[in-house]
């Protein structure tokens, strides 16, 4: 079965941002930038009480935004099934990032859903407990 990888004409999206709050903004940004290897793309301070940082891959149309509010920002993961999945082009590429995260002091955690491990994935928690699955190759 061939999967169409283009955006449908009925959904002319130019950019995708996944945003979530955290009370550990500095630690979360450090995990995703220094640990995982994403790049800091932009940041803002005191926008209606919010500070935020966007991270991602430069030149792509998708990124993550982490925000914190002056009055507090609940950000702990609601469950261990909240997973950001990164599919690598090879086992070796994935292993480089997994090794860097371990050297960064982050230990892998077991996946609740066996699909990830069954397909060679390794999951790491960010400082809020949200999981990042590293996968050695695309599965679709």
């Amino acid at each position: 079965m061939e999967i169409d990888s283009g955006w449908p004409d009925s959904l002319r999206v130019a950019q995708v941002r996944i945003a979530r709050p955290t009370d550990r903004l500095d630690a979360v940004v450090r995990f995703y930038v220094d640990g995982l290897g994403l790049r800091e793309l932009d940041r803002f301070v005191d926008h209606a009480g919010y500070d935020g940082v966007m991270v991602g891959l430069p030149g792509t149309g998708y990124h993550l935004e982490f925000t914190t509010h002056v009055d507090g920002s609940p950000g702990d993961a609601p469950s261990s099934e909240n997973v950001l999945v990164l599919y690598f082009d090879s086992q070796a590429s994935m292993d480089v990032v997994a090794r860097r995260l371990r050297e960064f002091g982050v230990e892998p955690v077991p996946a609740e859903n066996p699909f990830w491990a069954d397909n060679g994935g390794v999951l790491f928690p960010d400082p809020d407990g949200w999981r990042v699955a590293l996968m050695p190759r695309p599965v679709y």
Side-chain angles (χ1 to χ4, degrees):
M1 179 172 101
E2 186 175 321
I3 297 176
D4 181 4
S5 62
W7 284 97
D9 288 337
S10 62
L11 186 64
R12 304 302 299 176
V13 174
Q15 193 173 55
V16 174
R17 177 185 298 183
I18 299 171
R20 73 166 170 89
T22 180
D23 277 330
R24 301 170 188 93
L25 185 60
D26 292 338
V28 166
V29 169
R30 189 170 169 258
F31 171 86
Y32 285 92
V33 172
D34 297 336
L36 195 56
L38 296 176
R39 300 292 182 256
E40 183 175 321
L41 303 175
D42 198 9
R43 70 172 46 231
F44 58 89
V45 176
D46 197 22
H47 174 72
Y50 288 92
D51 294 347
V53 178
M54 275 73 77
V55 302
L57 302 169
T60 64
Y62 40 86
H63 58 272
L64 306 173
E65 176 185 32
F66 301 103
T67 61
T68 191
H69 192 268
V70 66
D71 294 330
S73 299
D76 290 344
S79 82
S80 61
E81 277 297 290
N82 291 90
V83 181
L84 169 67
V85 184
L86 300 178
Y87 295 95
F88 289 83
D89 61 2
S90 69
Q91 179 76 46
S93 295
M94 184 192 88
D95 290 344
V96 167
V97 175
R99 185 170 36 259
R100 184 172 54 239
L101 284 167
R102 286 184 179 102
E103 290 169 357
F104 194 68
V106 183
E107 292 299 320
V109 293
E112 184 173 319
N113 183 334
F115 173 85
W116 306 116
D118 290 349
N119 286 280
V122 181
L123 277 69
F124 291 89
D126 80 6
D128 288 326
W130 293 75
R131 309 283 172 98
V132 177
L134 308 181
M135 299 296 290
R137 68 198 159 286
V139 294
Y140 296 106

